[in-house]
Amino acid sequence: MCAAAVIDRLATLSAYARQLLEQAHSPVEAPIRSELFGVQRFRQHGLSLARAQPVQATDAPRGSPFFPRVDENLASLRDAFDYIALISRSGRYVSPAAEWLLDNFHLVEAQLQQIREGVPRSYYARLPKLAEAPLAGLPRVYGIAWAYVAHTDSVLNNELFTAFLDAYQDVDELTLGELWALPTTLRVVLLENLRRLAESIARTKVALELAHAVWDAADTLSHDELEALFETVRELGLEQSYCTQLWQRLSSERAAQSPALVAWTEKNCPQGPALIDRYQTEQAAANLTVGNIITTLRAIGQVEWADLIEPVSRSLRVLRELPSFAAESELTRQQITHAMEQVARASLRTERSVAEAVLQLATDATHATSTGDPATGAESTAGYYLFGRGRPALMASLARPSTASARPGAAGRPSRTRRLPVYLGGIALGMLLLLTVLVRGLRGAGFDPLEFATLVSLLLMALPLSEAVIALVHRMTAESMTVQALPRLDFGDGIPSAHRVLVVIPSLLGSPAANAQLARRLELHWLANRERHAQFALLTDWSDAAQATTPGDESMLADALHRIAGLNAAYPAPEGEAPRFLMLHRPRTWSDTEEHWLGWERKRGKLEMLLRLLATGDATGFLPLADGGRVAGDTRYVLTLDSDTGLPPGALRELVAIAAHPLNAPQIDPEARRVVAGFGILQPRIVAPFPTREERSAFHWMFAGQCGLDPYSSGASDIYQDLFGTGSFTGKGLLNVQAVHATLDRRLPDGAVLSHDLLEGTVARCGVVSDLVLIEDHPHHAGVAASRIHRWTRGDWQLLPLMLRARHFGIDALGLWKMSDNLRRSLVAPACTALLIMTVFCDAVPWAWSLLAVAASLAFGPLLGALAGLVPTRRGIELRHFFDVGVTEVARALAGAAWQFTQLAAQTRLQIDATLRAAWRTL
């Protein structure tokens, strides 16, 4: 008798039930559930499991993929969910375990994304693999997670977890990679367990549904047909649920003329009460386990895994003996652990051996400091040896005679001392190849490259093409480099008194309304960064005048002081401490170059005088203001912001935490008077806010880029920071008082430096903090942007005399390149205009070539970035929205290039005017 024919006659069966009964299916696998262990028993199990889990040799062939049937598990869970939901909508009884699944399936689906993004598959490929069945070929950590889930009934208990891992490592230490893979591995095992339970729940429902359908068709079923159905049920392992439901309906369905089903049930389901009792027990167990799984899946994303894993890592226990390690932030400790894994692989040593070598080197450095030998605080940190300047010493201490010659330095990359020649060589090579192609093309088109007009056109063409070549080199470098966050300390309790900071806004006193805006900006900075050991100050001058004083000066100053007093009254500092808000003001001095009375050296002079005051106590140059407040004497850092710069919540603490880390502490060469290691200045990334409706303009849309804060981004590539370890200062950042004062105080000639930010960042060494942002608006109109560019160009060319005496002013080779590159960039627009004129009037080169060169200079860089944004970098994104944004960026780049092309003549006039003005002032 064929069971399929009988099933076809059962009209009330659902499609899911028919598919399960008619197709060949293996029995449901048992849940991952075993005897529950306490702490002591888990310790014993950890010891025995470690002895029973042999690991494959390192050169063993690759086994099964780490993610065993994760996608298949999710598909099976989705099928079970759909069926249980169908049963629920039909009004039939749904068990508590099934309700858990119905209510939390969204969480289950989210786990697939968490598993895929938790750790890359390539990461798991390097983990030790098990050598013996049943988990042969899978990472050892998978077997550990399986055992833990089985003996806790899928409950995450920190005490049991750490006891288990501790005991396991008493026999065989786990690598840091294995420990950090545990959260994702637990998700995988829990998903496997939930799949088994969901299938069991769904198949139980199928057995119950079949039993009901059989009773509904009892009069039409013979004994042989019932036997055929039961054989199918037995193959699926559902006989217990099937018989239980048949027995439950037996008493209510038995009639005088008993059909064959009654006799069959009485024969095959004789122990009804026992069946019901067992069924209820299994339902209760399934309900408990499903609830535990859902709860644990939710908890895994909320657990601070660093606090759970670091204490059980044997290598990190060694590093914890360093006082500096406990003071570092979680992000920095993660950098240390990743670097330790890399060093262990490169040196063919264990991670614990690497940690012990780091501890020994750091201890020796600390001892050297205590005995009077020169050493820095950085040398007592783990990061100094694992990813800092001490890494060569660490690799040398770990070297074995057999492997020392086989270890290339830093994955074959050139050291930072050789990167500038490689970088410049790449640009030069690109230009050489491009010009060679152009020369050959000109000869093929019938032009003589040595003819005067053609030669001039080629030279003019080199400038816009250089813009495209540099953009290409920068894009290739950005895509190949990894953004490394600067190390930082853990200031979770706030900025400590030893790292006091002063936030200042250098500005002019222009009007009462402007004073109110400045005071409001100070208030907003405080409200966003409520730090006890931070002060907020206005650093002001009067506006330029034809005489030393004007009638409205005193009233303007009094108004500003009154507003500062109001802030201190509204937000008083703790008793006995310096006021939270203050004001420092300078009188006018005569400027020979400007032929006006103004504040000495404007913004640069204000900051130089402020740093002198903080470093030495010399208040010369500031007016004595009784109501202006006093600066705390132990201030170590100054955060300088423009009057329209926004300081996001928490940014101040993070900046100071970075500056306070010993690896970032500036080291000064006293002879050259420049910072040679660490950072004297920290520059956050600048982003534009969303414009208000009144501020929106086409110009702002084209050139401000994507506005607002991105809560999902962490760091962005800065070419100079990523490649050379130092970036460019743009005038808004954190200054180390002693370092900047020592390198720049009274160093630059008076009245000769307009654009000082790049110079200051070069001499005091600026570090770009790309994972922190400041908010500053982009110009909304072309006129404002043109004025800005004119000022910047004048400043760039005024640095030319200092560039010619670079060593005297502490300018290194990289700084000299940055300044030269700014001068080159200012000549691009005039070169484009001259090239187009030459093409029109002299016919020296094909007109299409000239247009292409000009277009490349204007569009190539922005277009490369926009096109890179069209490549998805992670899974689980909404592709339609992603490509909408990407296409918008491409349109923005093309529109901006088109607008700049229409403005070439105006830009040329602007750049030439700025260059000539700067040349006149420097003569």
Side-chain angles (χ1 to χ4, degrees), residues 58-402:
T58 55
D59 57 349
R62 181 173 295 181
S64 306
F66 168 70
F67 299 97
R69 70 177 194 174
V70 171
D71 292 301
E72 181 185 338
N73 284 346
L74 190 62
S76 177
L77 282 166
R78 190 174 285 113
D79 289 341
F81 169 81
D82 292 341
Y83 175 61
I84 294 170
L86 178 65
I87 294 296
S88 175
R89 286 195 297 269
S90 69
R92 297 179 186 175
Y93 171 72
V94 175
S95 65
E99 289 182 353
W100 271 103
L101 188 62
L102 292 176
D103 293 341
N104 296 277
F105 193 72
H106 64 282
L107 175 66
V108 175
E109 288 189 310
Q111 297 308 304
L112 181 62
Q113 186 73 12
Q114 295 289 337
I115 290 168
R116 285 173 171 167
E117 295 183 353
V119 180
R121 292 177 183 245
S122 59
Y123 186 90
Y124 279 102
R126 296 193 296 263
L127 299 182
K129 308 293 190 304
L130 293 173
E132 296 181 356
L135 302 178
L138 291 172
R140 172 173 59 176
V141 68
Y142 187 81
I144 294 172
W146 187 288
Y148 175 79
V149 168
H151 292 290
T152 58
D153 197 13
S154 303
V155 173
L156 182 60
N157 181 289
N158 293 0
E159 183 182 5
L160 294 178
F161 196 58
T162 54
F164 181 40
L165 294 178
D166 261 333
Y168 191 101
Q169 293 184 95
D170 287 342
V171 176
D172 195 358
E173 289 187 20
L174 298 172
T175 66
L176 284 166
E178 289 179 292
L179 291 173
W180 281 112
L182 273 171
T184 300
T185 309
L186 280 173
R187 285 188 173 99
V188 173
V189 176
L190 289 169
L191 198 61
E192 170 70 28
N193 200 17
L194 187 61
R195 177 241 177 97
R196 298 181 177 202
L197 287 160
E199 284 186 347
S200 177
I201 293 169
R203 293 194 183 188
T204 297
K205 294 296 182 186
V206 168
L208 301 182
E209 186 182 350
L210 178 62
H212 286 298
V214 166
W215 269 112
D216 293 341
D219 293 336
T220 65
L221 297 176
S222 66
H223 181 273
D224 292 340
E225 290 172 333
L226 292 172
E227 285 293 334
L229 281 176
F230 190 61
E231 185 62 29
T232 299
V233 169
R234 186 184 291 112
E235 290 176 359
L236 293 172
L238 302 177
E239 63 272 18
Q240 180 175 313
S241 301
Y242 180 69
C243 288
T244 300
Q245 189 59 49
L246 288 177
W247 190 89
Q248 284 182 314
R249 289 198 62 175
L250 180 63
S251 58
S252 61
E253 301 290 345
R254 186 184 286 115
Q257 61 281 12
S258 298
L261 179 57
V262 173
W264 187 93
T265 303
E266 290 175 342
K267 176 183 177 182
N268 291 278
C269 308
Q271 298 179 339
L275 287 173
I276 293 176
D277 183 63
R278 188 183 306 171
Y279 174 78
Q280 291 175 343
T281 300
E282 291 179 355
Q283 290 293 301
N287 176 45
L288 180 61
T289 303
V290 171
N292 290 343
I293 292 172
I294 297 297
T295 302
T296 301
L297 286 174
R298 187 175 287 113
I300 286 176
Q302 300 171 351
V303 169
E304 292 292 340
W305 284 97
D307 297 336
L308 191 62
I309 288 174
E310 286 184 7
V312 301
S313 168
R314 295 299 194 263
S315 55
L316 292 183
R317 282 184 182 178
V318 174
L319 291 185
R320 281 180 175 271
E321 297 181 33
L322 291 174
S324 60
F325 187 79
E328 291 176 303
S329 69
E330 180 183 343
L331 174 64
T332 303
R333 295 201 303 270
Q334 289 180 9
Q335 290 177 286
I336 289 172
T337 58
H338 295 327
M340 189 154 56
E341 293 177 81
Q342 294 172 356
V343 171
R345 287 196 299 271
S347 63
L348 305 180
R349 297 274 189 165
T350 65
E351 291 167 355
R352 186 168 183 172
S353 299
V354 174
E356 289 171 346
V358 169
L359 177 63
Q360 184 62 50
L361 290 170
T363 302
D364 292 344
T366 303
H367 178 70
T369 303
S370 64
T371 56
D373 292 338
T376 67
E379 295 175 15
S380 63
T381 66
Y384 180 81
Y385 302 99
L386 289 168
F387 53 79
R389 300 175 70 189
R391 180 159 177 166
L394 174 62
M395 298 303 291
S397 70
L398 294 170
R400 294 172 174 169
S402 60

Side-chain angles (χ1 to χ4, degrees), residues 473-736:
V473 170
H474 281 193
R475 173 52 54 184
M476 294 173 62
T477 304
E479 296 296 334
S480 61
M481 298 292 291
T482 301
V483 178
Q484 294 289 345
L486 294 179
R488 60 204 73 190
L489 298 182
D490 182 6
F491 282 176
D493 296 328
I495 298 173
S497 59
H499 296 280
R500 183 180 288 276
V501 61
L502 174 64
V503 180
V504 299
I505 300 178
S507 56
L508 298 174
L509 297 181
S511 66
N515 292 347
Q517 292 179 356
L518 290 172
R520 177 58 178 165
R521 180 62 66 180
L522 276 189
E523 182 182 20
L524 291 175
H525 291 337
W526 155 250
L527 293 174
N529 296 267
R530 294 172 177 257
E531 299 290 342
R532 174 172 180 173
H533 301 294
Q535 285 182 289
F536 301 82
L538 293 180
L539 190 58
T540 59
D541 293 334
W542 282 305
S543 56
D544 300 358
Q547 55 272 352
T549 60
T550 64
D553 288 348
E554 293 303 325
S555 62
M556 195 70 62
L557 180 59
D559 177 74
L561 289 172
H562 175 71
R563 297 182 187 279
I564 293 296
L567 290 176
N568 281 319
Y571 310 103
E575 186 175 355
E577 295 189 7
R580 180 160 287 122
F581 302 93
L582 64 145
M583 181 173 176
L584 297 168
H585 186 78
R586 302 187 306 168
R588 297 184 183 93
T589 58
W590 175 253
S591 171
D592 291 329
T593 56
E594 297 286 344
E595 296 184 350
H596 262 74
W597 290 85
L598 48 86
W600 177 74
E601 291 295 314
R602 302 188 186 278
K603 177 183 175 181
R604 182 178 73 80
K606 284 196 279 279
L607 289 173
E608 184 172 318
M609 286 183 173
L610 173 64
L611 296 177
R612 188 182 307 149
L613 168 63
L614 296 175
T616 67
D618 181 5
T620 303
F622 290 105
L623 291 177
L625 303 175
D627 299 328
R630 62 182 177 87
V631 183
D634 54 350
T635 300
R636 293 185 62 175
Y637 308 104
V638 168
L639 176 61
T640 174
L641 305 172
D642 288 346
S643 58
D644 59 347
T645 305
L647 184 62
L652 180 61
R653 181 183 300 183
E654 280 294 297
L655 271 174
V656 176
I658 294 171
H661 195 284
L663 283 178
N664 300 323
Q667 299 177 32
I668 301 172
D669 181 348
E671 295 184 2
R673 282 190 69 191
R674 64 183 312 273
V675 176
V676 294
F679 306 106
I681 300 174
L682 293 177
Q683 172 67 66
R685 188 159 46 102
I686 307 296
V687 300
F690 287 110
T692 63
R693 184 178 299 275
E694 296 77 16
E695 294 173 331
R696 292 175 185 172
S697 66
F699 181 86
H700 186 273
W701 178 83
M702 286 187 292
F703 296 107
Q706 294 187 19
C707 300
L709 296 175
D710 180 3
Y712 302 103
S713 68
S714 53
S717 176
D718 179 271
I719 294 300
Y720 292 120
Q721 180 67 42
D722 297 340
L723 196 57
F724 305 109
T726 178
S728 301
F729 184 42
T730 60
K732 293 156 284 283
L734 191 75
L735 314 180
N736 183 294

Side-chain angles (χ1 to χ4, degrees), residues 418-490:
R418 300 196 302 271
R419 287 184 183 181
L420 183 59
V422 172
Y423 166 77
L424 296 178
I427 294 174
L429 180 61
M431 286 298 303
L432 180 62
L433 291 174
L434 195 55
L435 290 175
T436 300
V437 171
L438 288 176
V439 169
R440 290 184 177 180
L442 285 173
R443 285 175 176 165
F447 293 88
D448 182 6
L450 297 180
E451 185 181 343
F452 179 77
T454 303
L455 183 61
V456 171
S457 297
L458 273 176
L459 293 177
L460 290 173
M461 196 180 294
L463 274 169
L465 289 178
S466 69
E467 190 78 357
V469 170
I470 291 175
L472 179 61
V473 170
H474 281 193
R475 173 52 54 184
M476 294 173 62
T477 304
E479 296 296 334
S480 61
M481 298 292 291
T482 301
V483 178
Q484 294 289 345
L486 294 179
R488 60 204 73 190
L489 298 182
D490 182 6

